[in-house]
Amino acid sequence: MAVRNALHNTLANGRAEAWWELSETRLLNNDRAILDETIAKLERRISSPSPGQVVAALPFGFWTRLLDKGIPRDPLLSYETAFWQPRLVRAFPHGANLKRKVLFTELTQIREMRNRIAHHEPIFKMPLETIKTDISRIAGYVHVDASAIMNGCSRVATVLARKQSAITHGFSSF
């Protein structure tokens, strides 16, 4: 949510809450389709969904895709020059020298893990320690306290400590 809200707030800042409706907002066809499908689903339940409702309903994949490259060197569809450089880099004020490509790769891996969990698929072969570290670091890029708050209430470290025992023995004795 922190990443989603940071990206949305940065794209809306000084423009319009529904920044995706602005003529200068150009999205790749797949990304526009995700946005349009999300709005259509909302409109079946809500006559006129607010921008906040649209933002909340958009999948995490939509937000991570805004950090992809788009179509490089295309004056309208290069996400590097249309989104990252002029705006989205500011969504991560505590990420000194942060590179869009690295952030996109890390968020994609986080999204893939999240999706595997949501579909009750195994994640034990994924680099869980790395992903945990990435989540914490990226949260810290958004807000200085976000990483500390997440780490303070997270049980992930405890669960990861039990991982090897569970894999080896089929159960955890902790």
Side-chain angles (χ1 to χ4, degrees):
M1 285 186 344
V3 169
R4 174 198 73 195
N5 290 344
L7 293 174
H8 166 68
N9 292 340
T10 303
L11 289 166
N13 188 27
R15 297 165 60 191
E17 193 70 14
W19 52 266
W20 53 87
E21 294 176 352
L22 299 172
S23 60
E24 65 264 23
T25 300
R26 302 245 173 31
L27 297 168
L28 295 176
N29 290 339
N30 289 344
D31 299 333
R32 178 57 68 181
I34 291 168
L35 177 64
D36 292 344
E37 288 167 20
T38 300
I39 293 170
K41 282 181 190 176
L42 282 171
E43 287 175 337
R44 286 193 286 274
R45 293 186 349 238
I46 305 164
S47 63
S48 184
S50 70
Q53 290 168 318
V54 172
V55 169
L58 282 164
F60 187 46
F62 174 83
W63 300 103
T64 59
R65 287 174 56 93
L66 291 179
L67 298 167
D68 197 358
K69 62 186 174 221
I71 300 175
R73 292 181 292 285
D74 183 296
L76 301 175
L77 294 172
S78 165
Y79 283 10
E80 172 78 29
T81 56
F83 292 124
W84 178 254
Q85 291 175 10
R87 290 190 172 269
L88 293 184
V89 70
R90 288 185 244 140
F92 306 94
H94 306 286
N97 302 314
L98 184 61
K99 303 291 183 221
R100 178 203 52 77
K101 184 177 179 178
V102 172
L103 183 62
F104 171 72
T105 301
E106 291 171 348
L107 285 170
T108 297
Q109 189 168 45
I110 292 165
R111 180 185 48 79
E112 289 169 357
M113 182 187 74
R114 178 184 174 271
N115 289 349
R116 291 186 68 82
I117 292 168
H119 294 108
H120 305 283
E121 296 173 4
I123 61 168
F124 62 89
K125 291 185 179 179
M126 296 185 84
L128 300 176
E129 291 282 351
T130 301
I131 295 170
K132 176 193 173 297
T133 302
D134 291 347
I135 291 169
S136 179
R137 187 172 21 76
I138 292 168
Y141 292 161
V142 173
H143 192 281
V144 249
D145 297 331
S147 179
I149 291 168
M150 283 177 44
N151 291 332
C153 62
S154 173
R155 297 181 336 156
V156 174
T158 304
V159 172
L160 288 177
R162 297 168 52 185
K163 174 185 168 192
Q164 191 55 49
S165 175
I167 291 171
T168 304
H169 306 296
F171 65 92
S172 175
S173 60
F174 289 74

